[in-house]
């Protein structure tokens, strides 16, 4: 998958100055599979960047292209198809279903994509240290535990690009390392790449390209 | 699981309210439609053509008529005037025989010996209220005759007793032949006739038009006979105009025909009002359901947006939603059809029967199809509404 930005500037960020290294008001192209990190302090537009590529935000000027196609021309149905087959995401606000159990949250995605056996879901939960939480309602979990559920959910589909918006913000270094290893392994299996946004912690992340805001 | 997510925040009050409304509305609509069809079939069924909408009119016989100073015949102009009335759809004057007729028994056929002067009339075949073999041509074995049912009553309970002969059964009357004595311009002739049926509604002695035309030409005096009785068929709900016509032309019409027409009109109006009320209730309940789905969708907006972001298609979400609505509407539709049939059979039909109103029950299929159409409209309207709302949430 190829992502191309041509002078993109979100409307809410028009008032702010953007440096020559910034992804905003700049032109660049990334060919995936590749491991990319986007490091910036809070309020610079990390989530805006991720959500723009994911098609949730369309309030920008300039052109964004996915595989040479201008995303402003994509229909909702085309976005949905992309989100099922090529693009996966870990939202900063997780977007889990709080009234469903951990397992139901994972099954909801897995039943849609038919991507993994249920035994593999349990393996992943255990690997991330929440194997005993599978029947608990998500709303009763800590933020760190919820974050791990969201990480596993993002891996239950084929993808060429995994977008991660501060996915380890509530995890300690050890758990972040375990999660990152799992993500790296699944990404390789999918022959895909990812973009990780972070406030500064790299969690031992071995990236190939860094973007700035 | 989708169902669990989407309907988690449903509000039972709106749902129950809309369901009860839809059930009442659909039942009332189907019932009024069914009754309308029953009344309609009463109006226009072929066997009922000479029903309350077709009446025989004649002028009242007055003292002057008795003195020969005032004719009860209808002139050509009067017939034309009737034809031009907007509420009259068919006009058919009775034709009368232009020769004298008498009948007697055929010896050996079981009837007691008798000889009686008679008259013949004919009406267009479409007005005959009986299903009998009514064809006649010169090769026919006998002349078919239809008598008024009252005729056999008069013979059996009046003449037979006073004249001292045996009563005659309907079967015997239908089996026995009659000798027809015709006295015309070129002398007398005898023919064979047979009673083929008894009419409840036409107080005349009827023979086929083909016979009467033939006989009038052969035995008649050649004078033009003006009709004194006319069939008219009126449009529905026109008893008011008919009463006015009676006054204007000094007509005599069987009162029962007017009364039945009046009852039919009243029933029609009542059912019509009932039907309109039912349509309004249905529309309100449809709006109730649309509002209910809007409410459920807006309460599930986070869930719907998240599902779309996870890759769930609009179609899958709408399908889950509509499937639930369709099950609800399906139960409402089946219940409404069942209640409609029960009300009709156990209450309406019994009431009509008790009040002497005989309505031929028409097929239930059109009312059931109407219910299915309403089901389709409900599902369709909600489908469009849900699809639009889900898409809006996704965008």
């Amino acid at each position: 998958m190829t992502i191309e930005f041509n002078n993109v500037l979100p409307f809410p960020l028009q008032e702010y100055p953007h440096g020559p290294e910034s992804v905003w008001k700049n032109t660049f192209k990334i060919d995936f599979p590749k491991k990319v990190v986007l490091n910036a302090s809070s309020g610079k537009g990390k989530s805006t960047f991720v959500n723009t590529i994911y098609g949730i935000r369309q309030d920008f000027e300039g052109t964004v292209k996915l595989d040479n196609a201008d995303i402003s021309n994509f229909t909702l149905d085309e976005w949905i198809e992309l989100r099922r087959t090529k693009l996966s995401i870990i939202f900063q606000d997780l977007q889990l279903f709080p009234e469903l159990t951990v397992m139901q949250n994972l099954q909801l995605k897995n039943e849609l994509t038919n991507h993994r056996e249920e035994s593999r879901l349990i393996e992943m939960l255990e690997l991330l240290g929440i194997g005993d939480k599978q029947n608990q309602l998500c709303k009763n979990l800590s933020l760190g535990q919820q974050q791990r559920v969201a990480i596993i959910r993002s891996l239950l589909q084929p993808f060429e690009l995994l977008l991660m918006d501060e996915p380890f913000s509530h995890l300690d270094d050890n758990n972040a390392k375990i999660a990152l290893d799992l993500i790296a392994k699944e990404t390789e299996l999918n022959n895909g790449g990812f973009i990780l946004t972070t406030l500064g912690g790299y969690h031992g992340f071995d990236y190939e390209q860094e973007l700035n805001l | 699981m989708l169902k669990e997510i989407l309907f988690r925040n449903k509000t039972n009050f709106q749902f129950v309210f809309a369901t009860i409304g839809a059930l009442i509305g659909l039942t009332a609509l189907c019932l009024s439609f069914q009754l309308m069809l029953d009344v309609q079939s009463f109006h226009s069924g072929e066997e009922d053509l000479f029903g309350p909408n077709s009446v025989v009119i004649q002028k009242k016989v007055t003292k002057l008529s008795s003195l020969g100073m005032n004719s009860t015949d209808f002139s050509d102009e009067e017939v034309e005037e009737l034809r031009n009335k907007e509420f009259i759809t068919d006009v058919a004057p009775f034709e009368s025989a232009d020769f004298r007729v008498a009948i007697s028994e055929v010896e050996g056929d079981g009837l007691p010996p008798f000889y009686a002067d008679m008259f013949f009339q004919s009406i267009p075949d479409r007005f005959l209220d009986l299903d009998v073999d009514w064809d006649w041509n010169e090769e026919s074995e006998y002349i078919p005759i239809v008598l008024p049912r009252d005729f056999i009553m008069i013979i059996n309970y009046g003449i037979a007793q006073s004249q001292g002969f045996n009563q005659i059964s309907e079967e015997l009357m239908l089996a026995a032949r009659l000798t027809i004595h015709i006295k015309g311009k070129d002398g007398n002739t005898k023919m064979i006739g047979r009673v083929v049926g008894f009419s409840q509604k036409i107080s005349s002695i009827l023979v086929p038009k083909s016979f009467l035309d033939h006989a009038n030409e052969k035995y008649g005096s050649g004078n033009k006979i003006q009709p004194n009785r006319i069939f008219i068929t009126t449009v529905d709900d026109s008893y008011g105009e008919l009463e006015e016509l009676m006054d204007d032309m000094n007509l005599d019409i069987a009162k029962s025909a007017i009364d039945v027409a009046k009852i039919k009109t009243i029933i029609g109006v009542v059912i019509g009002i009932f039907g309109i009320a039912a349509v309004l209730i249905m529309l309100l309940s449809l709006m109730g359901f649309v509002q209910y789905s809007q409410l459920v969708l807006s309460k599930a907006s986070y869930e719907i947006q998240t599902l779309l972001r996870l890759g769930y298609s609009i179609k899958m979400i709408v399908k889950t939603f509509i499937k639930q609505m369709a099950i609800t509407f399906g139960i409402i539709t089946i219940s409404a059809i069942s209640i409609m049939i029960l009300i009709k059979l156990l209450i309406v039909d019994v009431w009509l029967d008790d009040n002497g109103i005989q309505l031929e029950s028409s097929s239930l299929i059109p009312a059931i199809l109407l219910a299915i159409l309403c089901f389709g409209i409900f599902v369709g309207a909600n489908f469009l509404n849900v699809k639009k709302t889900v898409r809006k949430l996704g965008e």
Side-chain angles (χ1 to χ4, degrees):
Chain A
M1 175 177 276
T2 307
I3 292 179
E4 202 177 330
F5 270 54
N6 290 310
N7 289 314
V8 177
L9 182 60
F11 299 136
L13 299 176
Q14 280 177 335
E15 305 296 317
Y16 299 97
H18 301 288
E21 299 296 311
S22 172
V23 294
W24 305 129
K25 276 307 248 184
N26 229 324
T27 297
F28 64 92
K29 189 175 176 181
I30 309 170
D31 286 310
F32 293 92
K34 190 178 265 184
K35 293 167 185 169
V36 179
V37 69
L38 176 64
N39 190 2
S41 56
S42 192
K44 287 283 186 71
K46 291 191 295 297
S47 295
T48 306
F49 178 76
V50 167
N51 289 338
T52 301
I53 296 173
Y54 201 63
I56 295 173
R57 294 193 67 152
Q58 278 122 23
D59 53 341
F60 60 86
E61 60 179 39
T63 315
V64 179
K65 287 183 178 175
L66 279 184
D67 287 335
N68 296 318
D70 186 342
I71 65 167
S72 60
N73 296 326
F74 288 2
T75 63
L76 180 58
D77 294 321
E78 285 170 333
W79 275 117
I80 288 168
E81 181 62 21
L82 271 173
R83 290 167 193 168
R84 197 163 44 214
T85 55
K86 291 184 176 178
L87 282 177
S88 190
I89 192 167
I90 302 167
F91 296 102
Q92 192 183 47
D93 60 354
L94 307 179
Q95 303 211 2
L96 295 170
F97 293 95
E99 302 291 338
L100 296 186
T101 64
V102 168
M103 188 50 92
Q104 283 175 325
N105 264 284
L106 300 182
Q107 282 168 338
L108 193 67
K109 179 77 186 197
N110 201 46
E111 280 172 8
L112 176 72
T113 56
N114 240 340
H115 194 58
R116 291 281 181 249
E117 296 289 323
E118 191 162 316
S119 56
R120 178 62 184 147
L121 307 190
I122 296 167
E123 270 176 38
M124 289 198 232
L125 286 168
E126 281 170 354
L127 184 68
L128 297 193
I130 49 172
D132 58 336
K133 308 287 183 196
Q134 55 180 289
N135 293 320
Q136 282 199 21
L137 295 180
C138 269
K139 66 179 179 185
N140 295 334
L141 301 183
S142 70
L143 273 175
Q145 288 166 331
Q146 288 188 31
Q147 213 157 29
R148 280 174 269 178
V149 177
I151 289 168
I152 297 173
R153 185 178 68 178
S154 72
L155 302 176
L156 301 179
Q157 69 167 91
F159 60 86
E160 293 179 18
L161 173 59
L162 172 61
L163 298 162
M164 296 184 281
D165 194 1
E166 298 184 35
F168 313 126
S169 56
H170 296 283
L171 296 185
D172 57 68
D173 282 348
N174 187 42
N175 274 315
K177 175 80 174 63
I178 296 169
L180 193 54
D181 285 346
L182 176 65
I183 291 165
K185 190 177 163 194
E186 291 292 324
T187 307
E188 268 173 35
L189 280 174
N190 278 290
N191 197 25
F194 55 71
I195 298 176
L196 170 77
T197 72
T198 170
L199 282 165
Y202 288 90
H203 314 287
F205 176 41
D206 183 19
Y207 57 87
E208 297 162 83
Q209 185 175 344
E210 183 168 2
L211 299 173
N212 291 294
L213 289 174
Chain B
M1 214 178 313
L2 274 186
K3 181 186 146 195
E4 198 183 323
I5 294 169
L6 292 172
F7 285 90
R8 183 188 315 284
N9 299 313
K10 69 178 179 185
T11 317
N12 285 325
F13 173 72
Q14 273 90 349
F15 178 75
V16 169
F17 190 72
T19 303
I20 292 173
L23 183 61
I24 293 172
L26 190 56
T27 306
L29 186 66
C30 290
L31 191 62
S32 51
F33 182 67
Q34 180 63 37
L35 293 177
M36 198 70 99
L37 284 184
D38 288 351
V39 173
Q40 208 64 35
S41 71
F42 186 47
H43 284 212
S44 57
E46 273 190 23
E47 70 281 11
D48 285 315
L49 193 55
F50 177 45
N53 274 10
S54 290
V55 291
V56 179
I57 58 173
Q58 58 255 321
K59 290 183 179 175
K60 280 182 184 161
V61 176
T62 61
K63 284 175 189 165
L64 288 176
S65 319
S66 304
L67 294 169
M69 295 169 72
N70 189 11
S71 171
T72 57
D73 292 346
F74 287 94
S75 66
D76 291 343
E77 292 74 26
E78 285 171 324
V79 172
E80 196 53 36
E81 196 185 326
L82 289 173
R83 282 189 213 281
N84 290 335
K85 296 276 183 198
E86 275 186 15
F87 72 99
I88 296 176
T89 56
D90 199 353
V91 175
F94 279 58
E95 282 183 36
S96 297
D98 183 24
F99 47 84
R100 293 179 65 189
V101 186
I103 57 170
S104 64
E105 85 291 352
V106 171
E107 211 176 320
D109 275 13
L111 292 176
F114 73 99
Y115 183 92
D117 283 327
M118 275 284 155
F119 67 96
F120 281 160
Q121 286 188 317
S122 79
I123 55 171
D125 293 352
R126 64 181 183 279
F127 283 101
L128 196 68
D129 61 328
L130 298 170
D131 184 19
V132 293
D133 185 6
W134 199 235
D135 292 331
W136 181 90
N137 59 45
E138 285 183 57
E139 275 77 47
S140 293
E141 204 182 321
Y142 59 85
I143 304 155
I145 300 169
V146 166
L147 296 176
R149 188 163 294 282
D150 289 346
F151 187 84
I152 201 166
M153 304 289 281
I154 290 167
I155 289 176
N156 282 335
Y157 301 104
I159 297 171
Q161 203 173 19
S162 65
Q163 301 292 318
F165 60 74
N166 293 334
Q167 290 176 319
I168 302 163
S169 71
E170 222 172 82
E171 290 73 27
L172 175 59
M173 197 65 146
L174 290 169
R177 290 169 297 169
L178 298 167
T179 307
I180 312 284
H181 304 265
I182 293 174
K183 298 170 190 171
K185 61 179 178 185
D186 299 326
N188 300 345
T189 187
K190 285 183 187 173
M191 298 174 90
I192 294 295
R194 174 175 271 171
V195 177
V196 294
F198 299 94
S199 170
Q200 285 277 20
K201 299 167 182 172
I202 309 169
S203 57
S204 180
I205 296 162
L206 299 176
V207 291
K209 189 173 183 314
S210 50
F211 167 74
L212 200 66
D213 288 346
H214 168 81
N216 273 347
E217 194 179 317
K218 196 165 178 183
Y219 310 111
S221 61
N223 297 329
K224 187 182 178 191
I225 303 172
Q226 288 301 126
N228 55 18
R229 308 177 85 192
I230 297 178
F231 263 116
I232 56 168
T233 303
T234 60
V235 296
D236 291 343
D237 312 330
S238 58
Y239 71 91
E241 288 95 326
L242 196 56
E243 280 187 334
E244 203 177 310
L245 183 73
M246 283 172 68
D247 290 342
D248 286 354
M249 295 179 82
N250 196 29
L251 297 177
D252 205 5
I253 303 175
K255 192 174 179 299
S256 63
I258 298 287
D259 287 346
V260 175
K262 198 178 276 185
I263 289 168
K264 274 173 49 181
T265 305
I266 293 165
I267 290 176
V269 169
V270 169
I271 293 173
I273 292 169
F274 193 53
I276 290 167
V279 169
L280 287 176
I281 296 171
M282 284 289 285
L283 286 176
L284 283 173
S285 75
L286 178 60
M287 279 169 63
F289 268 113
V290 169
Q291 279 192 336
Y292 165 73
S293 35
Q294 289 278 20
L295 198 67
V296 174
L297 288 170
S298 80
K299 284 191 169 183
S301 58
Y302 165 80
E303 284 82 359
I304 291 168
Q305 274 176 342
T306 307
L307 287 169
L308 294 173
R309 287 173 184 180
L310 290 180
Y312 273 87
S313 64
I314 294 172
K315 197 176 157 188
M316 288 167 92
I317 296 170
V318 172
K319 195 176 151 192
T320 307
F321 210 88
I322 287 302
K323 196 176 159 193
Q324 281 307 109
M325 301 292 262
I327 290 170
T328 308
F329 295 149
I331 292 169
I332 291 171
T333 307
I334 291 167
S335 307
I337 291 170
S338 311
I339 296 170
M340 179 267 289
I341 292 171
L342 286 176
I343 292 177
K344 180 177 150 45
L345 294 181
L346 300 179
I347 301 175
V348 178
D349 283 1
V350 172
W351 182 85
L352 289 174
D353 204 35
D354 288 349
N355 287 279
I357 301 168
Q358 305 285 333
L359 291 186
E360 283 292 320
S361 280
S362 48
S363 164
L364 288 166
I365 290 171
I368 292 171
L369 288 178
L370 176 71
I372 293 170
L373 176 72
C374 290
F375 168 82
I377 290 172
F378 263 60
V379 173
N382 276 282
F383 172 77
L384 293 176
N385 173 48
V386 170
K387 193 175 167 186
K388 191 177 153 198
T389 311
V390 170
R391 185 169 283 280
K392 211 170 161 188
L393 284 171
E395 282 164 352

